[in-house]
Amino acid sequence: MKATERPADSSPEVRSKSDTPEARPVRYVVAALILRGGDVLICQRRADQPMAHKWEFPGGKIEQGETPEQALVRELQEELGIQAHIGASVARIRHTYRSGSAVDLQFFAVHRFDGELTNNIFQSMQWCALRDLPNFDFLAADRDLVRDLAAGKLL
């Protein structure tokens, strides 16, 4: 997706507020809360990726013409080798980083998937109890969600 394009079913483009003369367009992103009992799958970025070694939930950018759910199915196939059954939307967050870049991030529950989890792109991945999520160094955009999940407010 080009920086100025929006996914098919997203709200109108929102520019981030920053101190730079030219605000950057918002990137539309989806992520999965893959659940197994009271645990959720978390993934750690590799050293050669931006924001190296930070933890995150699997997912990625919404491409032009995709719905958020279609994008998440594609991303989970690419990253983890699974065919996910996308559940309900859990949260939507708009976050602006210090650099001025902004993301519009939608999180969906995934209670079922077909196939075996395969780590195709991450440094590490593991199941984590929801209450233990704050013990990991998550991406800044995920931190409020992590606190809410750990406190039992969302699931």
Side-chain angles (χ1 to χ4, degrees):
M1 178 165 65
K2 292 180 184 172
T4 56
E5 295 175 343
R6 295 181 287 119
D9 66 339
S10 69
S11 57
E13 184 175 336
V14 176
R15 297 276 179 178
S16 63
K17 294 178 183 175
S18 71
D19 297 330
T20 58
E22 229 179 283
R24 298 179 189 177
V26 173
R27 287 178 296 128
Y28 294 90
V29 177
V30 287
L33 300 174
I34 302 175
L35 301 161
R36 182 181 73 181
D39 294 344
V40 63
L41 186 71
I42 60 174
C43 303
Q44 186 179 39
R45 290 181 173 218
R46 294 187 322 259
D48 63 333
Q49 293 176 304
M51 295 178 261
H53 303 293
K54 296 285 187 181
W55 289 87
E56 65 181 343
F57 300 101
K61 290 186 283 190
I62 302 172
E63 300 293 343
Q64 183 178 10
E66 286 182 321
T67 65
E69 293 85 353
Q70 289 168 335
L72 193 52
V73 166
R74 175 184 51 74
E75 288 285 346
L76 295 177
Q77 175 63 43
E78 292 171 3
E79 294 179 356
L80 303 174
I82 60 171
Q83 184 64 39
H85 301 270
I86 308 303
S89 175
V90 174
R92 187 169 186 169
I93 297 169
R94 177 77 47 100
H95 181 80
T96 303
Y97 287 94
R98 280 183 262 153
S99 67
S101 66
V103 293
D104 182 294
L105 186 52
Q106 295 180 66
F107 294 89
F108 290 87
V110 174
H111 295 279
R112 277 190 336 117
F113 58 87
D114 298 320
E116 293 294 320
L117 287 170
T118 304
N119 183 353
N120 292 327
I121 68 161
F122 298 104
Q123 174 75 33
S124 177
M125 60 185 208
Q126 70 182 64
W127 293 100
C128 178
L130 293 171
R131 70 181 175 278
D132 294 335
L133 287 171
N135 297 332
F136 292 84
D137 186 15
F138 272 87
L139 295 171
D142 293 347
R143 289 183 189 144
D144 287 340
L145 176 80
V146 163
R147 280 192 292 274
D148 287 347
L149 287 169
K153 294 180 180 178
L154 296 175
L155 298 172

